[in-house]
Amino acid sequence: MSAQMFEGKGHAAVYQKYRFAPGKELQQTILSYLQEKRASPAELAVDVGCGSGQGTHFLAEHFKKVVGTDISEAQIQEARDAPSPPNVSYLVCPAEELPFEDASVDLLAAFTAAHWFDTEKFMREANRVVKPGGCVAISTYTLDMRVHYGNCSEKLTKVFKESWEQLLKYSHERVKHVLEDYKEIFEALPFPDKKRITDIFDKIPMTVAGVVGYLESVSPYQVFKKNDPEAAKSLLQEAEKRMLETMGVSSPETPVEFWVRHVCVLGCK
């Protein structure tokens, strides 16, 4: 069964506010693959483990109908409450029990979610629901992240990574899939026509507050917060303070660039 790490309403609201949509390079990687495979008509795309809908909206630009699914009611409520294109809908369901007919889905996607699924059961469902000629796109951002601003990017990235390292000990065991660049997930995909791309780099426009908010949105932080709320709060405050001091600015709304490396598993049935 899926690991349920994003259940609380408070966490879902933070996730909605601070999680970023798939970057342009990742989007282009997926779209180029679909074009290369001349995937079946762009009728139905399903975004599994959609959270509050960041990836779902990207798919809506390219498919007639898009359904976002997530096991978390709080996440789906956030997605439904946000403005959405008219061709998007959302359902609460596990990734391993998708409410779609056999061979009915043109693209099955998962953005920074598949490591939470029961891999074997999810792949069985993917094989069942994807049409012949349909595709899967399973991506994640890695922990290879950098913060860029002026001539202090190295120092800023050091602050960010030191904060992350304090959180890593609270990580769920399934984060190993991310650390291994989705190798096991790629191997488990039952389509012979498949590939794994590990060097997709995106530059995401953010602010200092957004970078700190991203840290707040990750599941290890939420575990840390449950164990020691004051220490967790202090970690975020200290990260923001050190970033602003390093940059020589006072406003948390100061723009920065957040560089992130993505991994994407692509397959065609």
Side-chain angles (χ1 to χ4, degrees), residues 17 53 65 75 87 178 188 210 226 234:
K17 185 173 181 181
K65 181 181 179 185
Q75 290 280 4
N87 59 333
V178 177
K226 279 183 184 173
S234 176

Side-chain angles (χ1 to χ4, degrees), residues 56-168:
T56 321
H57 285 203
F58 150 57
L59 296 176
E61 298 170 28
H62 305 283
F63 287 83
K64 285 187 180 176
K65 181 181 179 185
V66 181
V67 181
T69 74
D70 203 285
I71 198 167
S72 164
E73 290 188 20
Q75 290 280 4
I76 290 294
Q77 194 56 54
E78 284 289 337
R80 286 174 174 157
D81 288 346
S84 280
N87 59 333
V88 168
S89 60
Y90 294 99
L91 293 171
V92 177
C93 69
E96 304 82 2
E97 297 172 27
L98 298 171
F100 301 99
E101 299 289 330
D102 295 0
S104 63
V105 175
D106 296 288
L107 174 69
L108 193 70
F111 299 98
T112 313
H115 48 282
W116 300 117
F117 306 162
D118 180 314
T119 303
E120 186 182 342
K121 290 180 179 176
F122 171 67
M123 291 303 179
R124 203 178 301 143
E125 273 295 81
N127 200 29
R128 181 183 70 79
V129 302
V130 173
K131 290 178 181 177
C135 293
V136 298
I138 302 170
S139 68
T140 185
Y141 34 79
T142 66
L143 301 192
D144 187 359
M145 296 172 167
R146 300 172 188 278
V147 186
H148 280 252
Y149 179 85
N151 61 0
C152 57
S153 301
E154 278 190 33
K155 289 179 180 176
L156 277 179
T157 298
K158 185 170 181 282
V159 172
F160 176 79
K161 290 194 169 180
E162 285 172 359
S163 302
W164 237 123
E165 278 160 15
Q166 291 182 64
L167 298 177
L168 272 177

Side-chain angles (χ1 to χ4, degrees), residues 189-254:
L189 181 63
F191 305 163
D193 184 353
K194 61 183 179 179
K195 63 181 179 179
R196 178 175 63 125
I197 305 170
T198 60
D199 58 352
I200 305 163
F201 293 90
D202 263 307
K203 300 175 183 180
I204 313 288
M206 292 182 84
T207 62
V208 174
V211 173
V212 175
Y214 167 75
L215 286 171
E216 186 182 0
S217 79
V218 300
S219 57
Y221 178 81
Q222 297 296 320
V223 176
F224 182 26
K225 185 179 172 184
K226 279 183 184 173
N227 290 350
D228 193 339
E230 286 305 311
K233 185 179 175 184
S234 176
L235 180 143
L236 295 183
Q237 289 172 338
E238 184 65 16
E240 182 175 286
K241 178 171 173 280
R242 289 176 65 198
M243 283 189 192
L244 293 174
E245 285 174 357
T246 300
M247 294 162 67
V249 300
S250 59
S251 171
E253 298 307 315
T254 303

